[in-house]
Amino acid sequence: MKKNILIISFVLLIAALVSFSSVTKSGFVRKASLYDTVKNKDSLKVLDSIKKSDSIRVVDSISNLKTKLYKKNVEATHYSDKLNGRKTASGQIFSNKKYTAAHKTLKFGTKVKVTNLANNKSVIVTINDRGPFTKNREIDLAKRPFLDISHNNGRSPLRVSLEIVE
């Protein structure tokens, strides 16, 4: 009887150790998702320079991109946390930690520079879903990019301008 309890506890200990070792690989997946959002080779060079030097801010690199104004002074909101893990209209799994957004008409995969008009903070998101389906709302951002540009502790909606990254 004591041998069986000892064997079972040993097996549970090994199983716990194996599960902790797989958790440490999540950092690699996070870096890969940042590179997935970049399309142009020029943007990859910007990301490499950001990685090499901490003195370069992401906002500075965004301002150097070639963009075309799409709409100005429109409302932006963010997704709810309860939508994490669900499929988007493009078939991707939604995560509030990724730099993605929903728009009614823009093509999937379109890169959009979203600039908060109150504080001039910008972020680039990729369109991968349809929406928002509320009147007067132009774009739904995932929560991370929304909080990056927010000036009011993440309260929706924000007044933003949208520019398409070429």
Side-chain angles (χ1 to χ4, degrees):
M1 182 77 171
K2 290 182 181 180
K3 288 181 182 179
N4 290 341
I5 293 173
L6 185 63
I7 291 171
I8 291 173
S9 62
F10 181 74
V11 169
L12 290 175
L13 178 67
I14 297 297
L17 290 174
V18 168
S19 67
F20 283 122
S21 67
S22 65
V23 172
T24 59
K25 296 177 184 175
S26 65
F28 177 75
V29 173
R30 185 168 153 236
K31 287 181 183 176
S33 67
L34 288 175
Y35 287 112
D36 289 343
T37 62
V38 178
K39 194 172 186 179
N40 298 335
K41 290 181 181 177
D42 297 334
S43 300
L44 284 175
K45 291 177 186 174
V46 169
L47 280 178
D48 289 338
S49 66
I50 291 170
K51 228 169 42 173
K52 291 176 186 174
S53 169
D54 292 334
S55 63
I56 298 176
R57 292 180 23 198
V58 176
V59 176
D60 295 336
S61 64
I62 289 175
S63 62
N64 296 335
L65 294 174
K66 186 176 180 184
T67 61
K68 180 180 177 184
L69 183 64
Y70 180 69
K71 287 194 176 179
K72 191 170 184 172
N73 199 19
V74 294
E75 283 190 357
T77 54
H78 67 81
Y79 278 88
S80 169
D81 286 328
K82 66 183 177 184
L83 296 174
N84 277 326
R86 294 187 183 179
K87 279 191 176 182
T88 62
S90 66
Q92 297 176 351
I93 302 297
F94 174 72
S95 172
N96 259 330
K97 296 180 180 178
K98 294 181 180 177
Y99 286 82
T100 58
H103 193 272
K104 293 175 192 168
T105 57
L106 290 175
K107 291 182 185 179
F108 293 138
T110 303
K111 307 285 186 211
V112 178
K113 178 181 174 184
V114 182
T115 305
N116 184 351
L117 297 176
N119 59 12
N120 271 348
K121 288 185 180 179
S122 297
V123 28
I124 295 179
V125 294
T126 304
I127 303 298
N128 73 341
D129 202 4
R130 291 291 170 229
F133 299 108
T134 305
K135 194 175 182 178
N136 299 329
R137 302 258 169 93
E138 187 68 27
I139 192 166
D140 266 343
L141 301 171
K143 202 166 193 177
R144 178 180 274 174
F146 185 87
L147 291 175
D148 285 352
I149 64 171
S150 180
H151 66 285
N152 56 1
N153 298 327
R155 291 190 208 130
S156 290
L158 288 180
R159 281 298 199 197
V160 298
S161 69
L162 304 177
E163 300 172 72
I164 297 177
V165 178
E166 296 176 350

